[in-house]
Amino acid sequence: MKNTLVRFAGMAALASGMVFAQTAAPPAQPLSPGQRWQQRRGRMFDRMAARLNLTDAQKEQARAIMQSARESGRPVAQQLKQNRLALHDAVKAGKPDADIDQLAATTGSLMGQATAIRTKAFAKVYALLTPEQRTKADQLGSHGRGMFMGGHEHGHGAGAGS
C-alpha cells in the first residue's frame, strides 16, 4: 500500500513537472483586415464552387475573372476611399452644401463604376456555367443578395466582393 502511494505521488510529480515544462506556443500573428477579407473571400468562393459543383477548369476560369475584376477595380476603390475621406473632411470643415453635393455625386459615380466592374465579372462567370449550374446559382441568388444578383459587401470597394 505504501509502495503504491509512493508510486502514485512520484507519477503525479512527474506529470505536473511535464505540464509546467511545456513551452507555450507562440501567439499567432493577428491577420490584417485585408488578409482576413482575402481569407473570407476564398471561403465564400469555395462554398459557391461546391454548391454549384464547379469543375476544376470552371474554378480556374472564375478565379481568373474575379482576380482581373479586383485589379481593374482597385483604382476605383482607391478613388472612392479618397472621396469618402474628402466628404468627411468637408463636413468637419463646414463646407457649403454645393461642395458636399459635388463630392456626393462623385461618390455615386464611383460606386456605379464599381458595381459595373463587379457585375460584368459575375456575368462572365455566369456564362461559364452549365444550365444546371445556372439554375442552382439563380436559386442561391433568390435567398438574398447572391453572387449573381450584383450584391455588394459594404465598404470593401470595387471588385472586393469578387
Side-chain angles (χ1 to χ4, degrees):
M1 174 80 171
K2 188 175 182 183
N3 195 14
T4 304
L5 186 59
V6 171
R7 282 185 189 168
F8 180 74
M11 293 291 277
L14 182 61
S16 64
M18 289 172 53
V19 167
F20 291 113
Q22 291 181 353
T23 59
Q29 291 292 329
L31 297 176
S32 71
Q35 290 170 322
R36 281 194 307 273
W37 179 245
Q38 186 175 357
Q39 282 185 344
R40 180 173 178 226
R41 185 174 54 230
R43 286 190 306 269
M44 288 187 306
F45 180 86
D46 292 343
R47 198 168 36 248
M48 181 271 310
R51 287 181 180 161
L52 297 179
N53 197 26
L54 296 183
T55 66
D56 289 343
Q58 286 174 313
K59 289 177 196 175
E60 187 175 314
Q61 289 174 304
R63 280 190 176 104
I65 290 167
M66 301 311 252
Q67 179 61 33
S68 176
R70 277 191 298 279
E71 289 171 6
S72 63
R74 266 191 200 108
V76 176
Q78 185 59 36
Q79 289 175 327
L80 189 55
K81 181 179 179 180
Q82 290 172 349
N83 197 70
R84 286 178 177 156
L85 290 172
L87 261 171
H88 181 75
D89 292 344
V91 168
K92 288 173 59 176
K95 295 282 183 174
D97 287 351
D99 290 358
I100 293 173
D101 289 343
Q102 178 59 44
L103 289 168
T106 301
T107 298
S109 174
L110 291 169
M111 290 179 77
Q113 290 176 44
T115 299
I117 291 167
R118 192 174 37 262
T119 304
K120 289 174 187 175
F122 291 154
K124 289 176 185 175
V125 172
Y126 193 79
L128 297 174
L129 303 178
T130 66
E132 296 82 19
Q133 291 169 328
R134 287 180 183 184
T135 300
K136 285 182 185 177
D138 294 342
Q139 290 169 349
L140 289 173
S142 71
H143 296 300
R145 292 175 10 170
M147 177 174 179
F148 302 105
M149 299 284 289
H152 180 259
E153 290 71 26
H154 297 283
H156 294 290
S162 20

